[in-house]
Amino acid sequence: MSPPPPSGSPEAEPAPAAAPSMALPGLRARALRALLLAPTAAFLLMVLAPPLNHDVAAILNFAERWVVGERLYRDLIDVNPPLIFMLTAIPAFIDRWTPLDGAQALLLCVLACCVAAWRMTARLRQGRLEGPLEAAVLDALVPLACVFPAYDVGQREHLMALFAIPYAFLAARRIDGMATSRRLAWTVTMAAALGFALKPHFLAVPALVEALVLVRRGPRAWLRDPLPWGMAALWVVYAASVPLLFPTYLNNVVPLVIGYYLGSGGLGPFDVLLSEKLGAAVLLLAALAPFALRRYAGATAQALLAVGLGSVASAWVQHKGWSYHVVPIAMASTLLGGVLAARWLDRALPPARAASAAPGLALAVAVAVAMLHIRGESPWRQIWYDETAGGELTRVLRREVAGERLLVLTPDIYPVYPALNYARARSTLRFMNLWLLVGAYPDCPEGAPRYRDTWEMSRPEFLVYRTVAEDFARAPPAGVLVAKNPGIPRCGADEFDFVDYFSRHPAFSETWRHYTRIVHMDTYLLYLRED
């Protein structure tokens, strides 16, 4: 255990008195403590209500196909590194072995992660000197932060941030030289290491947190600490296992990512920072940063700031600015803002007044945070899902192809996923959608034919063309779902038609003759096989 911090360190200055037990009458105290969790309960209902996040559902569909024998990165080609599929195989196996379907099993697993992160954080707070307001605010905000992403719960960024929170609290204890049980410390560290390994970009988070610990504790104490070395060892083992267990990921998928995916739909380096969703989160974190660096803020606030800044770096290098990229920044900023405000009030108010005001003020903070995170996607997406194109597609697939195999010819992830999951249908496409084909036709040069001949196709386009046709002919699915909007620019008056495109392949054309019944929807056509 490292020595106590020097007298000039932020945590060594007189801290607020430890939070006393609520001095209110028993019934009222219990009611107020329960009310602190009311915003969390409201967001939990949004998490449980359809729809499941589209990316999460697509990864689950791939994992379900993988556990029944299809080969990852050969029959199932996706840009994500293998760890997320390995973790999502757990609910896929639960789907196979229990009455729960895949979506229910996945939500169960994600909520178990939320509870684990919450409980680990609570245990790491034990022994810390928290004022009554800080204690009450963290009691309310930690569980709320786990679920307020709502529609984005289960995304890779959400899973990373879940375990980055207890990791930040552990880092604060390490900075302050507080003893932590070996079992708890290693559990928190390894869980966080798995979360950071989900995407290479996430390594910016532990890099900044460990840099903070290094600066605050000194090089000698940091080098003697086994926790960062254990985390690094896990990453080395994982990185070494990828070429051994999944050689086609490095040989086939990574070139596709570099050549086609990284440049698709991206923003410039400054545009992404100014984008609607990411820009607001970055501004909030920037406003909190100077206060987190002040003397009274303490190691916990600084560790949460490091998590937030690392998350900004991760989102920035992905240059997309999508809503789920903001999730770790929002979770860290919420806790950081709560800690800073509560610490200031604990110092400003007389102890007795702070203790009596703590439950009510913490509830007000939790409600304010909840209102801030009720936005365009939640809860309105959940409330109106049955009336949307996704709800219509789910009803049609459940009625026509429930439990069947389905060829999906669409550039979309949503609403195809989670509609496929709710119908317990499985796509036969080797990709989650036709993003490679969309990338092969970014525009229509003047005089160019609507479709390229096979000898003119790039290798990725020919891969899509060949595998779709051959897989379709070898094992015809129960139906073919075709998007009315191909996501590819017109060539004059000629729209890109997926069926026409693949029908140029003799195997596809011959098999297609058996799909004669058509179900019309607003945005899709479902062709059903008539034997």
Side-chain angles (χ1 to χ4, degrees):
M1 184 177 73
S2 61
S7 59
S9 68
E11 290 290 343
E13 71 166 30
S21 60
M22 301 281 186
L24 299 169
L27 182 60
R28 186 182 172 202
R30 287 194 295 271
L32 282 173
R33 283 196 292 268
L35 279 175
L36 289 180
L37 296 178
T40 299
F43 274 91
L44 179 60
L45 292 176
M46 299 180 208
V47 172
L48 294 174
L52 186 67
N53 180 274
H54 52 282
D55 285 338
V56 175
I59 290 171
L60 174 61
N61 196 270
F62 261 39
E64 290 171 335
R65 294 168 62 182
W66 183 32
V67 301
V68 296
E70 295 190 53
R71 297 166 298 176
L72 193 57
Y73 304 120
R74 289 184 181 273
D75 306 319
L76 305 165
I77 301 172
D78 186 62
V79 301
N80 279 290
L83 181 57
I84 188 60
F85 295 107
M86 296 164 68
L87 296 177
T88 311
I90 297 171
F93 278 118
I94 294 174
D95 174 29
R96 292 193 68 196
W97 297 337
T98 73
L100 297 177
D101 65 29
Q104 293 168 338
L106 186 136
L107 284 173
L108 178 65
C109 291
V110 172
L111 291 177
C113 290
C114 292
V115 172
W118 178 19
R119 296 305 303 157
M120 285 190 292
T121 303
R123 290 186 62 190
L124 290 165
R125 289 173 53 203
Q126 293 174 4
R128 291 176 69 248
L129 290 177
E130 294 178 349
L133 275 162
E134 183 180 358
V137 165
L138 285 175
D139 285 345
L141 290 190
V142 171
L144 178 59
C146 292
V147 294
F148 71 48
Y151 180 68
D152 288 325
V153 160
Q155 275 279 11
R156 293 139 295 175
E157 276 75 2
H158 174 249
L159 297 176
M160 179 273 282
L162 275 181
F163 294 105
I165 290 172
Y167 170 67
F169 279 81
L170 176 62
R173 293 177 71 94
R174 291 164 58 202
I175 290 170
D176 295 335
M178 296 181 65
T180 305
S181 76
R182 182 176 300 178
R183 181 176 180 180
L184 176 60
W186 278 108
T187 300
V188 170
T189 300
M190 291 297 100
L194 282 173
F196 298 139
L198 289 172
K199 284 185 178 182
H201 323 86
F202 294 165
L203 295 180
V205 176
L208 288 182
V209 174
E210 292 303 323
L212 172 67
V213 178
L214 173 64
V215 170
R216 292 288 304 275
R217 292 190 68 188
R220 182 176 298 179
W222 185 84
L223 288 170
R224 289 200 308 264
D225 192 338
L227 296 179
W229 301 109
M231 192 158 48
L234 185 147
W235 296 333
V236 169
V237 170
Y238 170 54
S241 71
V242 172
L244 296 176
L245 301 177
F246 306 98
T248 49
Y249 179 74
L250 296 178
N251 298 333
N252 299 338
V253 177
V254 170
L256 293 179
V257 173
I258 296 172
Y260 291 86
Y261 181 77
L262 292 181
S264 65
L267 301 172
F270 294 104
D271 292 336
V272 69
L273 288 176
L274 299 175
S275 61
E276 178 184 359
K277 296 181 175 65
L278 186 58
V282 171
L283 284 175
L284 175 59
L285 189 65
L288 294 173
F291 299 97
L293 297 175
R294 290 188 177 182
R295 193 175 177 208
Y296 77 85
T300 301
Q302 292 168 6
L304 289 169
L305 175 62
V307 170
L309 292 174
S311 300
V312 169
S314 170
W316 183 62
V317 299
Q318 294 182 78
H319 62 86
K320 305 290 185 183
W322 292 336
S323 64
Y324 61 85
H325 293 162
V326 180
V327 165
I329 310 171
M331 292 172 67
S333 298
T334 295
L335 294 177
L336 174 58
V339 167
L340 292 174
R343 280 205 157 207
W344 181 82
L345 287 171
D346 275 325
R347 292 165 59 87
L349 296 175
R353 186 177 177 188
S356 62
L361 285 175
L363 178 59
V365 169
V367 171
V369 169
M371 296 302 294
L372 181 65
H373 286 90
I374 290 178
R375 55 195 191 279
E377 290 184 346
S378 298
W380 321 118
R381 186 192 288 261
Q382 289 85 355
I383 291 172
W384 300 110
Y385 179 66
D386 285 344
E387 309 304 319
T388 65
E392 178 190 34
L393 181 58
T394 299
R395 289 191 298 273
V396 170
L397 295 184
R398 279 174 167 166
R399 185 181 70 237
E400 302 289 351
V401 290
E404 300 284 356
R405 298 166 61 252
L406 190 69
L407 173 60
V408 178
L409 301 179
T410 171
D412 312 318
I413 293 291
Y414 181 86
V416 173
Y417 304 96
L420 278 177
N421 306 74
Y422 292 144
R424 307 193 79 161
R426 289 187 183 154
S427 170
T428 62
L429 193 66
R430 297 195 186 193
F431 309 87
M432 289 183 180
N433 63 2
L434 292 174
W435 66 272
L436 267 178
L437 192 57
V438 173
Y441 289 88
D443 51 32
C444 182
E446 186 175 352
R450 175 65 283 188
Y451 312 120
R452 296 187 187 95
D453 289 317
T454 52
W455 59 85
E456 299 175 309
M457 295 178 181
S458 64
R459 290 184 64 184
E461 181 185 355
F462 184 70
L463 173 67
V464 175
Y465 177 78
R466 178 183 61 80
T467 57
V468 167
E470 292 177 358
D471 293 348
F472 181 60
R474 182 172 54 252
V480 180
L481 183 69
V482 182
K484 292 181 179 179
N485 180 1
I488 295 174
R490 287 174 174 267
C491 272
D494 296 331
E495 185 71 83
F496 195 102
D497 186 291
F498 290 129
V499 174
D500 288 347
Y501 175 83
F502 289 108
S503 290
R504 298 177 304 148
H505 194 295
F508 187 96
S509 179
E510 174 62 25
T511 308
W512 181 252
R513 295 188 302 105
H514 301 283
Y515 292 79
T516 56
R517 187 159 74 89
I518 306 175
V519 179
H520 292 266
M521 290 168 275
D522 284 346
T523 53
Y524 294 94
L525 296 172
L526 177 62
Y527 295 85
L528 298 167
R529 189 176 74 232
E530 298 285 353
D531 294 325

